[in-house]
Amino acid sequence: MITGQHYIGGHWCGEPQSTNTSFNPAQNAALPWCFAEAGQAELHSLTEQASAAFALYRYVTASARADFLDTIAAELEQRKADIVSSMVLETALTAARAENELGRTCNQLRLFAGELRQPANDCNLPALPERQPLPRPALRLAKMPLGPVVVFAASNFPLAFSVAGGDTASALAAGCPVIVKAHNAHPATSELAAQAIAAAADKTAMPAGVFNLVHARQHAFSEALIRHPAVKAVAFTGSEQLGMHFQRLIWQRPEPIPFFAEMGSQNPLFVMPQYLAQHTESFASQLAQSVLNGCGQFCTRPALVFLPKAAQAVKAQLITLFSQAQAGAMLTAKIASHYRSGCLALQQTAGVSLLAQGQGDESGCYTRPRLFACSANTFMQQSVLQQEIFGPATVLIECTDVTQMQMLATILQGQLTATVYATETELATASALLQELALHCGRLIYNQMPTGVEVCAAMQHGGPFPASTDSRYTAVGSQAVQRFLRPLCYQNFPSQNGDTA
Amino acid sequence: MITGQHYIGGHWCGEPQSTNTSFNPAQNAALPWCFAEAGQAELHSLTEQASAAFALYRYVTASARADFLDTIAAELEQRKADIVSSMVLETALTAARAENELGRTCNQLRLFAGELRQPANDCNLPALPERQPLPRPALRLAKMPLGPVVVFAASNFPLAFSVAGGDTASALAAGCPVIVKAHNAHPATSELAAQAIAAAADKTAMPAGVFNLVHARQHAFSEALIRHPAVKAVAFTGSEQLGMHFQRLIWQRPEPIPFFAEMGSQNPLFVMPQYLAQHTESFASQLAQSVLNGCGQFCTRPALVFLPKAAQAVKAQLITLFSQAQAGAMLTAKIASHYRSGCLALQQTAGVSLLAQGQGDESGCYTRPRLFACSANTFMQQSVLQQEIFGPATVLIECTDVTQMQMLATILQGQLTATVYATETELATASALLQELALHCGRLIYNQMPTGVEVCAAMQHGGPFPASTDSRYTAVGSQAVQRFLRPLCYQNFPSQNGDTA
């Protein structure tokens, strides 16, 4: 059932290598699936096929693209059992999480399909031949797809930000063929999703090459793909380090192209004293849940919690919750090792104390949750506290008052989200803090944890650098399609509504 | 009346230098106005003032911003006589052109004001507390201004793409303070426009520093400005060489920021045989007018004309028109010298012939119009033909048929515009050509010259690289404001319509 092959131009191809196996992080053992490794030949055929597909796919009507996306969702649902079990094996995430993420992925595809079925909102200005001093020609502003899009799948959302995830769905909705570089942490799950897309493309008679999947462990392949002249946009979800490496490669291209990287975030929470006094227990349990869920492997988990110095009750509760938590398997040994070395660096930072850590062994992919604390002054002085540690850790920053919180907010880096917990009375007096936070984030939240990203027309999942490479775009929600479209003005054509070109 | 000073934080400042005079290109002589030269002190105060202004200007209501823009237009109109005479002296453009451009500049400001008076179209999704499996929080997607914007004024539109031009108008409409680097070709005209904006800012009680003007002949100052952390976006109109130099500096910043450069274009025309046979004279005179007007100093003048080999009548007419044309003064001696060396390189290219050139002397800023011709094969072989020569020159490329035109279209670089001249019958058979051209331009035109850019909601003035640095944005029309805005999602706030932050 798992071929281990690439999917290029409508065909499965490539020789699975016995060295490229999938991996079970919970068991710390190889899985029986092997995968092919792309090289020069695949680079050539992928870019040829995606370009050839673009010449056809750009004319596929919006309603046919909508049918394609809906059919992908249906095909994913048909493969639900296989996808869920493969994802559980490859990621150590729970079956419930996998099912939930599959549902979200399908909803996401259907959201874009629904948008495509709305009437196009081209701006249409009729000619004004009598206007003085000069007549106005008829003008129509339409949107053009950019061309073949490369998608780098995320490690932490094997479905919703991966092969059939938001980047692919929005690029296909825009009219762009897609080349997905599968994430090495879940190649079998990636292939199953690709099988669903391939089946949907067949059923809806989409051009060969409209969707392609490639496996490559060597960075050199990804780099060559990014540099290729046939590629017209790139979407990426992952670390700032790799995201900026890819960004620099794109800046070296003779033709610069749009690159949207969502590079994670610390998602600060600012908690007001009265709110905390009234909701000590529920806040502590919500925070622990938001940090610990899925081993903290969410770009929106809260890693910085600014709270009143006097809040000893919540601190005690959090210490209990983190101490009782069990070590869990992260997605890969590399991610787990980064997490552990990040925590170690924090623990060794002057002024930072480790308040609690979870139970169990930390070898291989397994890591223990950790709760840290520091003073406002330490936060100001130690820049290491503004480096994201991907995983189940959070830092409590003890502040004297709201004014100090507001001051700390001014030095925050760009964030995906920022959250204020406050009573309605406190909220009314926190406007300066909110106004400051608005400068630093893409989503501003009141009294809710930042994990859980609603997929809808009003979502912004992006933010000021380094949360993303371009704060004007989003990776989630219907506006995500704008990353892959450009305006084209038609002037003086006889039928302004006709599909002249 | 001309102080020669910078305008920073609501004050005129700086010592005019006797060496930094304004220049009269028609007379090849210095004008009596001297200008200050910015250095480290100005860099500091400009960025301080613009940042301080942003802290206030981001809360100025849309309707107050609209009043500000309308008042700028009124103040410009009040200074019309002075602005026109200064512009004529500094640019050798005609008074009629200056008046026309002033009108367009005012219309542009009023267009953005009108848009600001429309109700905000934030996407507002109410909470769905009963939704299964999870409730939906209330979500509102608003737009945030990016922060202080640096505008590099254009040489060739001293009003419409300069101090009070489209970049400034759209940044101010977005809620961003502006720092304009005046173009050295028209510093007095720049100061007069700045005086109008300063008066309007006073009358409408805008924060000091919302608009700033700086004079600097040294590139080092512009480079330092672009690198400054307080600057959050840059807009530029000019050459590809300088635009890409600035782009590379921005890519080296620790925090990358949006940069929109409109870097010119060759604006190819494709002319069908039947159309040409029926409109030989009118086409020749429209083309000559479009190339020669204002010494060809338009980013949308047509510099490549693909036409049937057999079209000897139109060729003869164009030879007559170009031969009779007089040499004219370009904006600066440097621009004139670039034009002449570009024409010389073309003339020395194998397969390119100089069909005609205008009358008169070519020294100083004066240049003669030139008409070149080559075969389709030469166009394919000589890449120099795809280098823009800014000025009154155009190349006729003689093609055997539409199929050959279509093939040549595939190798075109990114363009601001592409135009097809055809009878309605020919248009119906030219769809493959139109479809190819749509990939290469931001505006596709039927039977009209590309010069003359309508300022409206349906305009796209930008295009695939190297016409602009980002094909997803426009420098002209109401969508130009999108360059300086980013989405911000408000989640779960009690009053989703209130201005919480």
Side-chain angles (χ1 to χ4, degrees):
Chain A
M1 239 200 64
I2 299 293
T3 69
Q5 294 185 295
H6 316 296
Y7 182 71
I8 304 177
H11 300 284
W12 294 93
C13 58
E15 273 307 306
Q17 313 283 305
S18 58
T19 49
N20 288 359
T21 58
S22 191
F23 193 80
N24 183 327
Q27 306 290 337
N28 195 34
L31 288 164
W33 301 309
C34 298
F35 296 87
E37 176 75 18
Q40 199 57 40
E42 284 79 8
L43 179 67
H44 180 77
S45 59
L46 279 167
T47 49
E48 285 271 302
Q49 292 291 329
S51 298
F54 181 53
L56 301 169
Y57 190 55
R58 55 184 279 228
Y59 303 114
V60 169
T61 62
S63 102
R65 276 178 271 147
D67 291 343
F68 178 31
L69 296 178
D70 277 343
T71 310
I72 296 172
E75 293 289 329
L76 285 169
E77 279 166 350
Q78 270 193 21
R79 290 162 175 78
K80 183 172 169 175
D82 289 336
I83 291 173
V84 167
S85 66
S86 142
M87 176 166 152
V88 169
L89 285 173
E90 290 191 313
T91 65
L93 295 167
T94 65
R97 153 68 189 273
E99 281 179 34
N100 188 303
E101 191 179 329
L102 185 70
R104 175 188 164 165
T105 306
C106 294
N107 287 345
Q108 197 160 251
L109 288 156
R110 290 178 177 127
L111 173 78
F112 288 109
E115 295 281 336
L116 285 169
R117 292 201 178 90
Q118 301 298 313
N121 61 350
D122 291 2
C123 178
N124 234 312
L125 300 180
L128 300 174
E130 312 298 333
R131 192 184 63 173
Q132 291 302 326
L134 286 170
R136 180 176 79 185
L139 294 157
R140 174 168 67 95
L141 195 64
K143 291 266 182 160
M144 280 280 292
L146 292 178
V149 171
V150 167
V151 171
F152 286 93
S155 62
N156 63 334
F157 276 90
L159 302 173
F161 284 80
S162 192
V163 179
D167 288 340
T168 299
S170 54
L172 291 177
C176 298
V178 171
I179 299 169
V180 176
K181 160 53 183 81
H183 198 282
N184 303 325
H186 37 72
T189 310
S190 296
E191 179 175 333
L192 290 170
Q195 288 177 8
I197 302 176
D202 282 350
K203 285 192 179 167
T204 56
M206 290 294 134
V210 70
F211 166 81
N212 309 275
L213 178 77
V214 62
H215 297 282
R217 309 218 160 198
Q218 303 301 319
H219 269 321
F221 177 82
S222 298
E223 292 170 357
L225 189 55
I226 281 177
R227 285 200 192 99
H228 198 283
V231 172
K232 298 303 180 192
V234 178
F236 169 90
T237 309
S239 70
E240 182 181 341
Q241 197 192 356
L242 187 54
M244 287 310 292
H245 174 63
F246 285 169
Q247 174 69 91
R248 282 183 286 268
L249 290 178
I250 282 173
W251 287 339
Q252 286 160 21
R253 288 172 53 110
E255 179 199 12
I257 54 172
F259 175 61
F260 187 81
E262 190 269 83
M263 303 184 291
S265 177
Q266 292 185 299
N267 309 295
L269 309 185
F270 292 81
V271 194
M272 301 296 125
Q274 221 178 349
Y275 179 90
L276 202 52
Q278 289 172 18
H279 304 88
T280 307
E281 266 185 58
S282 68
F283 177 79
S285 78
Q286 281 171 45
L287 174 59
Q289 159 78 7
S290 185
V291 174
L292 302 177
N293 188 25
C295 259
Q297 297 169 112
F298 292 94
C299 31
T300 54
R301 96 225 150 285
L304 297 174
V305 185
F306 299 86
L307 78 185
K309 207 179 254 181
Q312 295 308 312
V314 77
K315 206 163 142 180
Q317 296 234 0
L318 285 166
I319 289 173
T320 307
L321 291 167
F322 274 74
S323 304
Q324 290 168 350
Q326 292 299 314
M330 296 190 78
L331 293 157
T332 69
K334 193 173 151 194
I335 289 174
S337 148
H338 276 163
Y339 169 77
R340 291 192 295 259
S341 61
C343 287
L344 189 63
L346 216 52
Q347 201 177 333
Q348 291 170 344
T349 299
V352 178
S353 55
L354 176 64
L355 294 185
Q357 55 181 319
Q359 308 286 321
D361 185 41
E362 267 207 322
S363 67
C365 297
Y366 281 79
T367 61
R368 285 195 292 268
R370 282 177 178 82
L371 178 69
F372 295 95
C374 73
S375 69
N377 280 339
T378 300
F379 184 78
M380 277 185 282
Q381 286 153 14
Q382 304 284 6
S383 63
V384 68
L385 284 155
Q386 291 210 49
Q387 283 164 24
E388 184 188 3
I389 300 172
F390 188 71
T394 198
V395 185
L396 309 180
I397 300 110
E398 300 181 288
C399 303
T400 48
D401 54 20
V402 184
T403 312
Q404 192 175 45
M405 287 186 190
Q406 192 183 320
M407 204 255 285
L408 295 184
T410 65
I411 64 163
L412 284 176
Q413 294 198 85
Q415 305 285 341
L416 293 172
T417 72
T419 302
V420 172
Y421 275 88
T423 63
E424 291 216 15
T425 315
E426 285 174 318
L427 185 67
T429 62
S431 65
L433 174 63
L434 289 166
Q435 287 163 2
E436 183 60 37
L437 291 176
L439 298 175
H440 298 266
C441 71
R443 179 161 55 112
L444 193 55
I445 307 168
Y446 174 58
N447 285 4
Q448 290 186 333
M449 288 294 156
T451 40
V453 180
E454 180 74 23
V455 180
C456 65
M459 183 42 62
Q460 169 63 5
H461 188 69
F465 184 84
S468 80
T469 46
D470 191 338
S471 65
R472 297 171 298 175
Y473 292 95
T474 179
V476 174
S478 43
Q479 293 302 310
V481 75
Q482 302 301 336
R483 297 175 293 172
F484 309 120
L485 290 169
R486 65 178 175 89
L488 177 63
C489 172
Y490 290 90
Q491 178 174 326
N492 195 41
F493 278 84
S495 156
Q496 287 292 318
N497 291 303
D499 276 323
T500 331
Chain B
M1 240 200 66
I2 300 294
T3 69
Q5 294 184 297
H6 316 296
Y7 183 71
I8 303 177
H11 299 285
W12 294 94
C13 59
E15 274 307 305
Q17 313 282 306
S18 58
T19 49
N20 287 1
T21 57
S22 191
F23 193 80
N24 182 326
Q27 304 290 336
N28 195 33
L31 287 164
W33 300 310
C34 297
F35 295 87
E37 176 75 19
Q40 201 55 42
E42 284 79 8
L43 179 67
H44 180 77
S45 58
L46 278 168
T47 49
E48 285 271 301
Q49 292 290 328
S51 296
F54 181 55
L56 301 170
Y57 190 56
R58 53 184 280 230
Y59 303 114
V60 170
T61 62
S63 102
R65 276 179 272 145
D67 292 343
F68 179 31
L69 296 179
D70 277 343
T71 309
I72 297 172
E75 293 289 329
L76 286 169
E77 279 166 350
Q78 270 193 20
R79 288 162 176 79
K80 182 173 169 176
D82 288 337
I83 291 173
V84 167
S85 65
S86 142
M87 175 167 155
V88 169
L89 285 172
E90 290 190 313
T91 64
L93 295 167
T94 64
R97 153 67 189 271
E99 282 181 33
N100 188 303
E101 192 179 328
L102 185 69
R104 174 187 164 164
T105 306
C106 294
N107 288 345
Q108 198 160 252
L109 288 156
R110 291 179 177 127
L111 173 80
F112 288 110
E115 295 281 335
L116 285 169
R117 292 201 178 91
Q118 302 297 315
N121 60 350
D122 291 1
C123 178
N124 234 313
L125 299 181
L128 300 175
E130 312 298 334
R131 193 184 62 173
Q132 291 303 326
L134 286 170
R136 180 176 79 185
L139 293 157
R140 174 168 66 96
L141 194 63
K143 291 267 181 159
M144 280 280 292
L146 293 178
V149 171
V150 167
V151 171
F152 286 93
S155 62
N156 62 334
F157 275 89
L159 303 173
F161 283 82
S162 191
V163 179
D167 289 340
T168 298
S170 54
L172 291 177
C176 298
V178 171
I179 299 169
V180 176
K181 157 58 181 76
H183 198 283
N184 303 325
H186 37 71
T189 310
S190 295
E191 178 175 333
L192 290 171
Q195 288 177 8
I197 302 176
D202 282 349
K203 284 192 180 168
T204 56
M206 289 295 133
V210 71
F211 167 81
N212 308 275
L213 178 77
V214 63
H215 297 282
R217 308 217 161 200
Q218 303 300 319
H219 268 322
F221 176 82
S222 298
E223 292 169 358
L225 188 56
I226 281 176
R227 284 199 193 99
H228 198 283
V231 172
K232 297 303 179 192
V234 179
F236 168 89
T237 309
S239 70
E240 182 182 341
Q241 196 192 356
L242 187 54
M244 288 310 293
H245 174 64
F246 285 168
Q247 175 68 91
R248 281 184 286 268
L249 289 178
I250 282 174
W251 287 340
Q252 287 160 22
R253 289 172 53 109
E255 180 200 12
I257 54 172
F259 176 59
F260 186 82
E262 188 269 83
M263 302 185 290
S265 177
Q266 293 185 299
N267 307 294
L269 309 185
F270 292 80
V271 194
M272 301 297 128
Q274 221 179 346
Y275 178 89
L276 201 52
Q278 289 171 17
H279 305 87
T280 307
E281 266 185 56
S282 67
F283 176 79
S285 76
Q286 281 171 44
L287 174 59
Q289 159 77 7
S290 185
V291 174
L292 302 177
N293 188 25
C295 260
Q297 297 169 112
F298 292 94
C299 31
T300 54
R301 96 224 151 286
L304 298 174
V305 184
F306 298 86
L307 77 187
K309 208 181 254 181
Q312 295 307 312
V314 78
K315 206 165 143 180
Q317 297 233 358
L318 285 166
I319 289 174
T320 305
L321 291 166
F322 273 74
S323 303
Q324 289 167 351
Q326 293 297 315
M330 296 188 80
L331 293 156
T332 68
K334 193 173 151 195
I335 289 174
S337 147
H338 276 164
Y339 169 77
R340 290 192 295 259
S341 61
C343 287
L344 189 63
L346 217 51
Q347 201 177 333
Q348 290 170 344
T349 299
V352 178
S353 56
L354 176 64
L355 293 185
Q357 56 180 319
Q359 308 286 321
D361 184 42
E362 267 207 321
S363 67
C365 296
Y366 281 79
T367 59
R368 284 195 292 267
R370 283 179 178 79
L371 179 69
F372 294 95
C374 73
S375 69
N377 279 340
T378 300
F379 184 78
M380 278 185 281
Q381 286 154 13
Q382 305 284 5
S383 63
V384 67
L385 284 155
Q386 290 210 50
Q387 284 164 22
E388 184 189 3
I389 300 172
F390 188 69
T394 198
V395 185
L396 310 180
I397 300 110
E398 300 180 290
C399 303
T400 47
D401 54 21
V402 183
T403 311
Q404 193 175 43
M405 288 186 191
Q406 194 184 317
M407 203 255 284
L408 295 184
T410 64
I411 63 163
L412 285 175
Q413 294 196 87
Q415 306 285 342
L416 294 172
T417 72
T419 302
V420 172
Y421 275 88
T423 63
E424 292 216 13
T425 316
E426 284 174 319
L427 185 67
T429 62
S431 66
L433 174 62
L434 289 165
Q435 287 163 1
E436 183 60 38
L437 291 176
L439 298 175
H440 298 266
C441 71
R443 179 163 53 111
L444 193 55
I445 308 168
Y446 174 59
N447 286 4
Q448 290 185 333
M449 288 294 156
T451 41
V453 180
E454 181 74 23
V455 180
C456 64
M459 182 44 61
Q460 168 64 4
H461 187 69
F465 184 84
S468 80
T469 46
D470 191 337
S471 65
R472 296 170 299 174
Y473 293 95
T474 178
V476 174
S478 43
Q479 293 302 310
V481 76
Q482 301 302 335
R483 295 174 295 172
F484 309 120
L485 290 169
R486 67 178 174 88
L488 177 63
C489 173
Y490 290 90
Q491 178 175 324
N492 196 40
F493 279 84
S495 156
Q496 285 293 317
N497 291 304
D499 276 324
T500 332

